[in-house]
Amino acid sequence: PQNPKTPLEWIKYLKWLKIVCDTPLILISEKPKYTIEDFELGKTVGQGAYGKVILGKVKSTGQVVAIKMVSQA
């Protein structure tokens, strides 16, 4: 496979690559799960009818992210 575009094409390509290179293959299938305690919260950058978007920083990595907070009404 060349130039994989979809997740399924990537999986097929990585399996092919493992066979060709004969090296162990590690696939990460899940995104990390976070709680609100994992972030330093910053200012609000947007607000709508169902919630707001605020800036945050992941405490463990320092990565700046946008956090969408949706009201549960």
Side-chain angles (χ1 to χ4, degrees):
Q2 301 235 349
N3 299 326
K5 292 178 179 68
T6 67
L8 184 58
E9 289 175 353
W10 269 105
I11 290 171
K12 289 179 182 178
Y13 174 72
L14 291 172
K15 287 180 180 177
W16 172 81
L17 191 60
K18 180 191 178 302
I19 293 168
V20 170
C21 297
D22 197 27
T23 57
L25 177 64
I26 299 171
L27 293 176
I28 300 172
S29 61
E30 291 188 19
K31 294 181 182 179
K33 295 186 177 10
Y34 293 107
T35 65
I36 198 67
E37 289 83 23
D38 296 322
F39 299 94
E40 293 176 17
L41 302 179
K43 68 176 188 170
T44 300
V45 294
Q47 191 153 355
Y50 298 104
K52 60 184 176 179
V53 177
I54 60 172
L55 286 180
K57 185 186 286 188
V58 181
K59 290 179 182 176
S60 61
T61 65
Q63 180 182 16
V64 177
V65 295
I67 302 170
K68 184 176 185 179
M69 300 182 82
V70 180
S71 59
Q72 294 183 348

